[in-house]
Amino acid sequence: MFPVSSPAVALSFSLLFLLLAAAAATPNLDIGMALSDYSDFSDFSSMLNETGVADQINNKATVTVLAVSNGNLGALSGLSSQDKKMVMSVHVVLDYYDETKFNKSHSKHAKILTTLYQETGRARNQVGFLNMTNTGKSPVVFASAAPNSHIEAQLVKVVTTKPYDLSVLQISNLLNVASISPAPYVAPVASPPRKVLAPAPAPASTPTPSLAEEDNVSPASSKTKPSTESEPAAADAPGSEQETSAASVPCLASTILIVSTWAWFLLTMI
């Protein structure tokens, strides 16, 4: 045996450490290699590489990739690089599913699946989750858990598996992500033509009499009854008291004159 402190033992431990480090640095998965034998998914594989999602998949321990065949990536056209990466990340489930597991997981209720996009910390409004419906009586259905995501995708087949590490499933179409998917175009409904109505005739105007005509109108012809409320009563008018006082002065003078005459007449008789 070599002494513990011998150079040979130290070198052996160094080589072992390097081998372990190299094994740890080697990706456990290789999604590009897994799809290389399936030409129907070459466009999907290229999009994984373009967006950088392939590298994220290769650094995971267990994933299930929901892939679509060539010709079904049209929904990505016109999207920004960030939005494309989000859509592709939503198609990577952080769990392992294959045909055996599907057959053992029938349920009447949808199951929530966590996707790779949920790990980014940018997911909002349930965009990072999927709803999987597997009743056992109909095809397995996947759909985004985000509100207003109405498009579903059905499971077509299992493409390839590396048990308990990597599973690639073909689905019918890309999953709809409501936060970036454009709203469906709705043609505007033309409103019926409005009926144009003829203008109503103007009301006949009453001629206004001239000043000369107003002067010729006699008071008797006026039909307007004078208001008695606005005029004070004759007994309450100040002018009536003055006229009464003025009329009583001649009467008093006459009375004094008559009394004086009778007094003088009586004195002459005596």
Side-chain angles (χ1 to χ4, degrees), residues 201-219:
S205 59
T206 304
T208 305
S210 62
L211 295 176
E213 292 176 350
E214 292 180 353
D215 294 340
N216 294 332
V217 177
S218 61

Side-chain angles (χ1 to χ4, degrees), residues 98-110:
D98 58 9
E99 187 173 359
T100 301
K101 190 170 182 178
F102 282 136
N103 293 333
K104 294 181 179 180
S105 60
H106 296 161
S107 175
K108 296 180 180 179
H109 305 286

Side-chain angles (χ1 to χ4, degrees), residues 50-51 53 76 79-89 117 120 122 180:
E50 177 184 332
T51 57
V53 176
L76 297 178
L79 298 182
S80 64
S81 299
Q82 184 177 357
D83 288 340
K84 288 180 180 179
K85 185 174 183 178
M86 183 183 73
V87 173
M88 298 304 291
S89 298
Y117 185 65
T120 63
R122 295 188 297 270
I180 64 168

Side-chain angles (χ1 to χ4, degrees), residues 127-176:
V127 173
F129 297 98
L130 299 180
N131 289 330
M132 181 186 72
T133 304
N134 179 24
T135 61
K137 299 179 181 179
S138 58
V140 179
V141 175
F142 299 91
S144 173
N148 302 321
S149 297
H150 304 298
I151 299 179
E152 300 177 342
Q154 292 186 357
L155 174 65
V156 177
K157 65 180 180 180
V158 177
V159 179
T160 184
T161 60
K162 181 182 179 182
Y164 311 111
D165 293 334
L166 173 66
S167 176
V168 178
L169 308 177
Q170 181 183 358
I171 57 176
S172 57
N173 50 267
L174 283 175
L175 295 171
N176 172 263

